[in-house]
């Protein structure tokens, strides 16, 4: 089904139809063979209630068939039209303070609203029936970036009603809910489920257990919203795939759950960041510049199905809404594409074909500038496609083979958002302190959920295992017992899965014997860093310090300042056939480097490279392909192992221009 390598997101409804054949011809000449269409076209396809105007899209598809361009169709529920909002204004989502978010942008929808859901069922049924069997249609995307702009969720009465049903399903009776939420505190006891509301803005504070359930409920709601549409599509458009354009570590909806509904996962990759709200993003610009954060997101996306994926939107020029990011440097668009391929993407779809004259995204530029005339982006992408298309066909289905995994958990992340402990403590950033060091040493990384089988990994890093359940604890115990190396970090086992604190036991709870430590005291460091030494190496821990008392563990690093100077900061415990590490604080890069260094050799056979130069590999039964990626603004010379052969004959063996890539391969010896 998926034989395509390059494509583009196209919005024919923004342009006069005389232009359509011109565009498609140019796309074909560039080597693009798939387009995504219609994910924001509701008002153009159903301009008034029940009146469908599919003709124009049929014409576009006729042209696609003539030009042999394949199509991924989107459903338009990220932008319900004005007539629908006028009919049912309470579709507009309610913010936590009771105010509405109104029509005029996008994502102005409550996904619980029963009347809205009826209109969606009618639209998607009519749409899928009409287009689902067309020759050029190969697949579908439901909505667009589900979870995007639903960050504040919706607190309306329909959502509250569904929330109550969800709670009743989970707890069965109100006493169980009261117990799990600890409602004796501040007189919050409930007599019936009817008394429960969405956690709207209060005079002061919130119940952390309620808010955790609310966040999980919303993730489930969005998954249900997806299923509603996906089921219709599957019955009218058989043998076509359904994928979704996910957003890396965006956390509103669990992609682990969503991935189960998809044939393969897709990801939207804007390596320069999202320039409407860049100030608010939590990753550093340096991380972006050196390609580290984008690499982590790609690894996460691949890990959802442990399989190849598509990039459904790749930045193709300047990104920006009200403010703009920098223009991609010469070569950089191709570098980003090859980085995605290096981490497991088999298809790259660029966002978008042409910069458009109107709307919020006037300055979110496309391959073609406003003029419609090919410029630098066009020629760079065209050259890239011609160069790498045969390679991409050859490597299709090959994958990186990591021996280390980092645990990423939506629920731990939610719990930390609810109570960050320290104003700058951030789940993804904390996890990135480990990823950064691994990435800088060219160690391939998978991400895993808390309860999947980890036995294929020799090292599992499970940062911030704050919520601990019985099943999870058993899985961690078993992994170490059978010979795994497990690293956990501060605040492990502090709470139960219902977000109530563990009582009657020392921390880290039931994993004490596996980890061989107790945490009897801790310190929120506020603005003070704490000095730490690890084998003579001096560095600092920040934000938080768990003060460790080894029971059976050995001390690897020690605090050197504060009243707990001399006490353990990092420990290791031999348990069963494996080792369990506890890291009590957020390590700076020096400490992290020395902490992970002894483990790295067995985790990668890729050569070391300077910061900003990345090497990643993909392999199949016959061959390993190496991607050398220079994210720096200067030329770099890299020592390439002798047994690697340059893939491109014209490739100068070791000198990489700024923002460029090289590819090598090594055949496997089956003798
Ligand atoms: C997202 C969306 C696109 C577009 C781009 C640029 O990734 O999926 O529709 O809005 O961002 O903002
Ligand atoms: Zn709602």
């Amino acid at each position: 089904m998926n034989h395509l390598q390059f494509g583009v997101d196209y919005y024919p409804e923004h342009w006069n139809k005389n232009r359509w054949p011109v565009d498609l011809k140019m796309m074909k000449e560039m080597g693009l063979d798939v387009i995504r269409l219609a994910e924001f076209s509701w008002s153009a396809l159903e301009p008034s209630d029940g009146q469908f105007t599919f003709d124009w899209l049929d014409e576009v598809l006729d042209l696609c068939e003539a030009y042999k361009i394949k199509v991924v169709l989107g459903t338009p529920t990220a932008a319900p039209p004005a007539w629908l909002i006028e009919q049912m204004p309470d579709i507009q989502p309610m913010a936590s303070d009771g105010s509405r978010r109104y029509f005029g942008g996008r994502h102005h929808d409550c996904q619980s609203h029963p009347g809205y859901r009826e209109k969606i069922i009618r639209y998607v049924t009519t749409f899928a029936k009409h287009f689902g069997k067309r020759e050029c249609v190969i697949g579908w995307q439901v909505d667009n970036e589900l979870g995007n702009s639903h960050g504040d969720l919706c607190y309306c009465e329909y959502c509250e009603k569904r929330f109550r049903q969800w709670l009743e399903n989970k707890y069965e009776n109100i006493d169980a809910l009261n117990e799990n939420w600890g409602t004796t505190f501040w007189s919050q006891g409930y007599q019936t489920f009817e008394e429960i509301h969405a956690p709207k803005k209060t005079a002061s504070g919130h119940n952390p257990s309620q808010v955790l359930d609310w966040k999980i409920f919303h993730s489930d709601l969005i998954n249900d919203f997806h299923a509603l549409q996906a089921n219709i599509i599957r019955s009218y458009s058989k043998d076509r795939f359904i994928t979704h354009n996910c957003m890396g570590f965006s956390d509103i909806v669990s992609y682990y759950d969503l991935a189960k509904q998809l044939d393969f996962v897709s990801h939207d990759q804007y390596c320069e960041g999202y320039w409407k709200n860049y100030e608010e993003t939590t990753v550093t610009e340096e991380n972006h510049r050196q390609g580290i954060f984008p690499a982590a997101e790609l690894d996460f996306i691949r890990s959802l199905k442990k399989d190849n994926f598509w990039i459904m939107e790749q930045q193709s020029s300047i990104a920006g809404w009200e403010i703009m990011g920098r223009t991609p440097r010469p070569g950089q668009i191709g570098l980003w594409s090859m980085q995605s391929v290096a981490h497991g993407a088999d298809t790259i779809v660029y966002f978008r074909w042409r910069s458009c004259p109107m709307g919020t995204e006037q300055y979110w530029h496309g391959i073609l500038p406003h003029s419609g005339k090919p410029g630098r982006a066009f020629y760079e992408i065209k050259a890239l496609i011609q160069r790498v298309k045969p390679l991409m066909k050859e490597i299709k289905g090959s994958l990186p083979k990591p021996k280390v995994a980092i645990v990423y958990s939506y629920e731990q992340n939610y719990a930390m958002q609810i109570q960050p402990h320290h104003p700058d403590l951030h789940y993804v950033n904390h996890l990135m302190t480990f990823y950064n060091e691994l990435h800088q040493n060219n160690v391939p990384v998978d991400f895993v959920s808390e309860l999947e089988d980890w036995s294929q990994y020799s090292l599992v890093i499970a940062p911030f295992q704050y919520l601990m359940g019985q099943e999870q604890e058993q899985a961690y115990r078993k992994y170490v017992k059978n010979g795994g190396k497990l690293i956990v970090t501060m605040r492990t086992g502090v709470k139960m899965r219902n977000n109530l604190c563990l009582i009657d036991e020392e921390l880290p709870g039931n994993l004490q014997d596996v980890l061989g430590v107790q945490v009897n005291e801790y310190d929120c460091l506020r603005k003070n860093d704490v000095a730490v030494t690890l084998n003579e190496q001096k560095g600092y821990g920040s934000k938080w310090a768990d003060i460790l008392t080894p029971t059976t563990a050995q001390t690897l690093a020690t605090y050197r300042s504060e009243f707990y100077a001399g006490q353990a900061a990092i420990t290791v415990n031999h348990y069963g056939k494996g080792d369990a590490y506890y890291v009590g604080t957020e390590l700076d890069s020096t400490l992290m480097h020395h902490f992970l260094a002894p483990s790295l050799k067995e985790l990668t056979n890729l050569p070391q490279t300077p910061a900003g130069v990345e090497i990643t590999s993909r392999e199949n039964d016959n061959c390993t392909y190496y991607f050398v990626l220079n994210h720096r603004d200067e030329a770099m010379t890299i020592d390439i192992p002798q047994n690697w052969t340059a893939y491109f004959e014209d490739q100068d063996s070791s000198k990489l221009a700024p923002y460029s890539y090289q590819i090598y391969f090594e055949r496997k010896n089956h003798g």
Side-chain angles (χ1 to χ4, degrees), residues 247-262:
M247 302 172 283
F249 289 124
S250 159
D251 52 46
I252 303 301
V253 54
S254 162
Y255 291 152
Y256 291 124
D257 293 340
L258 184 59
K260 291 183 195 138
Q261 296 191 44
L262 306 176

Side-chain angles (χ1 to χ4, degrees), residues 90-94 100 109-113 153-160 214 218 221:
D90 58 354
I91 287 176
Q92 295 167 114
M94 185 182 280
R100 296 272 176 187
D109 61 333
C110 162
Q111 292 161 327
S112 301
H113 195 292
L153 315 178
C154 175
Y155 295 75
C156 81
E157 58 176 305
Y158 303 110
C159 286
E160 283 187 326
W214 173 250
H218 249 277
L221 170 64

Side-chain angles (χ1 to χ4, degrees), residues 289-290 326 329-330 332 335 611-613 630-636 656-660:
R289 206 176 63 75
Q290 300 205 333
R326 300 205 67 188
R329 312 281 102 183
Q332 207 170 17
L335 173 69
V613 179
N630 181 13
H631 297 279
R632 291 169 72 137
D633 198 18
E634 57 190 317
M636 299 298 290
L656 284 136
Y659 305 112
S660 72

Side-chain angles (χ1 to χ4, degrees), residues 11 36 39-40 106 144-145 148 245 268 270 274 276 313 321 351 361 364:
Y11 300 92
R36 184 192 59 180
E39 83 281 9
F40 288 106
R106 63 175 170 184
N144 186 73
E145 294 187 337
N148 186 349
N245 56 338
D268 291 348
Y270 294 95
Y274 286 80
K276 50 186 174 188
E313 299 180 13
W321 279 12
F351 188 87
E361 296 196 334
W364 205 288

Side-chain angles (χ1 to χ4, degrees), residues 161-393:
K161 191 165 172 223
R162 281 188 85 100
F163 184 43
R164 288 185 199 116
Q165 286 162 351
W166 184 91
L167 290 170
E168 219 168 326
N169 237 345
K170 177 166 176 176
Y171 295 111
E172 289 175 11
N173 62 67
I174 199 70
D175 294 342
L177 176 137
N178 281 316
E179 200 178 312
N180 279 282
W181 284 11
T183 55
T184 47
F185 186 77
W186 283 354
S187 193
Q188 286 173 4
Y190 298 102
Q191 293 299 314
T192 66
F193 283 93
E194 294 314 303
E195 292 169 4
I196 297 173
H197 291 273
K200 287 207 189 106
K201 202 166 182 173
T202 62
S204 60
H206 263 298
N207 179 331
S209 300
Q210 178 182 7
V211 181
L212 179 61
D213 266 342
W214 173 250
K215 283 176 178 276
I216 302 170
F217 155 72
H218 249 277
S219 172
D220 286 357
L221 170 64
I222 296 172
N223 269 296
D224 180 79
F225 186 78
H226 183 276
L228 172 80
Q229 301 188 41
N231 291 339
I232 301 172
I233 292 166
R234 292 219 192 270
S235 60
Y236 292 107
S237 188
K238 296 203 181 359
D239 304 323
R240 269 74 173 177
F241 63 75
I242 297 182
T243 186
H244 191 73
N245 56 338
C246 299
M247 302 172 283
F249 289 124
S250 159
D251 52 46
I252 303 301
V253 54
S254 162
Y255 291 152
Y256 291 124
D257 293 340
L258 184 59
K260 291 183 195 138
Q261 296 191 44
L262 306 176
D263 293 284
F264 58 85
V265 181
S266 296
H267 172 56
D268 291 348
Q269 186 71 316
Y270 294 95
C271 290
E272 270 282 300
Y274 286 80
W275 283 96
K276 50 186 174 188
N277 57 2
Y278 193 71
E279 306 307 329
E280 293 163 27
T281 59
T282 44
V283 293
T284 63
E285 202 168 336
E286 183 65 9
N287 260 343
H288 263 293
R289 206 176 63 75
Q290 300 205 333
I292 304 175
F293 193 76
E297 294 204 306
L298 293 166
D299 286 338
F300 178 61
I301 291 294
R302 183 192 65 248
S303 297
L304 292 168
K305 276 188 173 297
K306 304 285 180 297
D307 205 354
N308 302 98
F309 56 93
W310 280 32
I311 297 295
M312 194 57 95
E313 299 180 13
Q314 188 207 293
Q315 181 174 349
S316 58
S317 184
I318 296 178
W321 279 12
E322 293 78 20
I323 54 169
M324 282 180 251
R326 300 205 67 188
T327 188
R329 312 281 102 183
Q332 207 170 17
I333 304 171
L335 173 69
W336 290 333
S337 301
M338 292 325 286
Q339 185 187 31
S340 294
V341 172
H343 287 264
D346 274 348
T347 303
I348 310 283
V349 179
Y350 293 96
F351 188 87
R352 52 193 158 148
W353 176 241
R354 180 172 172 185
S355 314
C356 95
M358 68 294 224
T360 311
E361 296 196 334
Q362 284 165 317
Y363 295 134
W364 205 288
H365 294 70
I367 296 177
L368 294 184
H370 289 109
S371 71
K373 305 210 167 56
R376 185 163 63 86
F378 177 93
Y379 290 112
E380 281 190 22
I381 296 172
K382 184 175 176 185
L384 172 85
I385 294 175
Q386 284 170 359
R387 188 169 176 82
V388 304
K389 212 171 188 181
L391 163 82
M392 285 178 62
K393 285 187 179 158

